[in-house]
Amino acid sequence: MSLTRRTVLGSTALLSFGLLAGCVGNGGSDDGATTDDEQTDTPTDDPTTDEPTDTTDDLPDGNGTDDGTGGTRPSGGPGISLVGVDDAPDVPVEHDVEITEDLATDEHPPQVRITLTNTGDETVEVGEGRTVFFQYVSDTTNDLIFLPADGEYPAEAGCWRLEDHIAVTEEYRILSLEPGESRSELVDLYGVAQSEGDEASCLPVGEFRFEAAFAVGDLSGASDGDDRQEAAWGFSLTLE
């Protein structure tokens, strides 16, 4: 589904990386002359008596974070996790949300896939066609916003905080779904642009709630509209 949007592009700052340099020192040695009284034999390992060497201190410091399952995910961040998903409302369509990029990196912000399925046995119309996929939907505190994944926005790579507000066209799009049909859209997570003078970090950490209101039924006016139903669905996620 083609989307129409108007973006206000701002200047994008360059992200600089600090490189951590390590130094390795060479051990000193004497002038090496040995006498007949000095021991010059090289010791050999005896597997029956040698104690295992503790290499804990030689391991590199981990830069990953606990992924909640005993493993680690790559450095970067913050990462997103779903902490709550609403039950499906009593309408003939059903939402699903899936994390496709859980970590903010220099290449991409966090990302989710929103899927909408017609669970009824008749064709239904759903609107508004962008909102049902959480495109341009902010969290309840207006700190974060989901934007279509195929767009270019005024945000510094790796930070993903919008530098300017996004202008959205005023229109009501209607999506038609056949019985059993599903459609999906990818949306990226950005920090909302702050007012001038406000200090803002990149992506804030904490728990955030997203909710979208939508309508289901004959929305194009072909009938009397008595089958129109209003509903809302949402989910919560954490950034940490």
Side-chain angles (χ1 to χ4, degrees), residues 162-218:
L162 295 174
E163 298 170 353
D164 290 295
H165 293 281
I166 302 297
V168 184
T169 57
E170 292 289 339
E171 59 183 294
Y172 194 90
R173 299 183 181 181
I174 297 174
L175 173 68
S176 180
L177 293 174
E178 300 292 331
E181 181 182 1
S182 294
R183 295 194 191 180
S184 298
E185 295 287 348
L186 294 173
V187 284
D188 290 340
L189 188 63
Y190 289 83
V192 172
Q194 299 298 294
S195 301
E196 185 176 354
D198 291 345
E199 293 186 5
S201 59
C202 293
L203 292 178
V205 296
E207 182 172 329
F208 302 89
R209 162 81 178 170
F210 294 85
E211 184 175 297
F214 59 97
V216 179
D218 179 19

